[in-house]
């Protein structure tokens, strides 16, 4: 049931499907669905939990590898950018649909924010291991800004949220390289003023 609903969300790019369609795709009866889930909303919440468990695990593994595999701050920024970008791209279809749902479903929005915060905290903690190299006057603010720029740029490219018309503009590899360079330069360069 959950896998069928997730597949329909990816196919449609939204949650616009019926439980009858879930029943047919999952080869389960409508009664079985209602026996397990009181409503379509409850099924969608279960889908999100399953998806975010998978995404968070994948993100955590990639961020840990980036953190342990990079020596200098600049290399770490590149590795973290790659980890975040590729994890989101690998899951773009379902993440796009869930983010659209979050605009009208407070529970989906809150659950998504928790997942986002976990990723943000992991990235910021990794960057702060190099706090002595960060030339900005407030390293915490600097790494927070770096993460927000990274996530927003990748999310826009992948068409998350309301910016679906901007999806897939430009070259993916160039975007990742340029983001990493800009973020590293920001972190290691003292403000002029």
């Amino acid at each position: 049931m959950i896998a069928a609903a997730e597949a329909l969300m990816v196919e449609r790019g939204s949650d616009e499907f019926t439980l009858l369609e879930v029943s047919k795709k999952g080869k389960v009866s409508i009664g079985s669905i209602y026996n397990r889930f009181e409503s379509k909303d409850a099924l969608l919440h279960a889908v999100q939990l399953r998806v975010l468990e998978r995404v968070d695990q994948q993100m955590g593994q990639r961020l840990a590898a980036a953190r342990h595999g990079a020596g200098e701050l600049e290399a770490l920024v590149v590795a973290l950018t790659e980890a975040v970008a590729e994890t989101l791209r690998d899951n773009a279809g379902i993440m796009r649909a869930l983010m659209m749902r979050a605009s009208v479903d407070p529970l989906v929005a809150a659950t998504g924010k928790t997942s986002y915060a976990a990723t943000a905290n992991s990235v910021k903690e990794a960057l702060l291991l190099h706090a002595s190299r960060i030339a900005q006057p407030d390293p915490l603010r600097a790494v927070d800004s770096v993460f927000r720029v990274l996530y927003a740029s990748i999310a826009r490219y992948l068409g998350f949220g309301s910016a679906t018309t901007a999806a897939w503009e430009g070259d993916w590899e160039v975007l990742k390289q340029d983001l990493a360079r800009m973020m590293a330069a920001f972190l290691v360069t003292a403000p002029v003023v």
Side-chain angles (χ1 to χ4, degrees):
M1 292 174 245
I2 294 172
E6 180 181 343
L8 285 167
M9 289 180 81
V10 172
E11 286 172 20
R12 308 263 169 93
S14 71
D15 61 359
E16 295 182 18
F17 57 82
T18 66
L19 291 180
L20 181 59
E21 290 172 305
V22 172
S23 169
K24 289 179 182 175
K25 187 158 196 78
K27 297 181 175 130
V28 296
S29 70
I30 287 282
S32 295
I33 295 172
Y34 279 111
N35 196 30
R36 185 150 178 219
F37 301 102
E38 65 185 43
S39 65
K40 181 179 170 182
D41 287 343
L43 174 59
L44 291 172
H45 296 154
V47 169
Q48 182 190 30
L49 291 175
R50 177 180 176 203
V51 166
L52 290 183
E53 181 179 323
R54 182 178 70 233
V55 171
D56 289 347
Q57 180 180 15
Q58 184 181 20
M59 185 73 77
Q61 290 170 344
R62 286 180 171 171
L63 291 175
R67 185 174 177 165
H68 297 329
E72 293 298 317
L73 177 61
E74 292 83 349
L76 177 61
V77 171
V78 170
L80 292 172
T81 299
E82 185 74 15
V84 171
E86 291 303 325
T87 301
L88 292 177
R89 187 171 79 154
D90 287 350
N91 297 283
I94 189 63
M95 294 293 287
R96 190 177 308 110
L98 287 170
M99 287 187 182
M100 286 180 62
R101 174 72 184 197
S103 67
V104 297
D105 187 328
L107 182 58
V108 170
T111 304
K113 285 179 185 178
T114 300
S115 175
Y116 170 90
T119 296
N121 290 336
S122 292
V123 170
K124 292 186 282 188
E125 286 171 10
L127 292 171
L128 287 171
L129 292 173
H130 297 272
S132 64
R133 290 276 333 274
I134 296 174
Q136 296 296 316
D138 183 348
L140 291 172
R141 176 180 162 186
V143 298
D144 184 61
S145 293
V146 160
F147 181 77
R148 284 186 288 114
V149 167
L150 170 64
Y151 198 94
S153 299
I154 297 301
R156 180 174 172 84
Y157 182 92
L158 296 174
F160 294 176
S162 61
T164 55
T165 57
W168 310 104
E169 290 180 351
D171 184 279
W172 177 246
E173 294 302 319
V174 169
L175 174 65
K176 292 187 300 181
Q177 291 167 10
D178 289 352
L179 275 171
R181 288 182 190 132
M182 286 185 278
M183 294 184 309
F186 169 73
L187 290 172
V188 300
T189 304
V192 175
V193 179

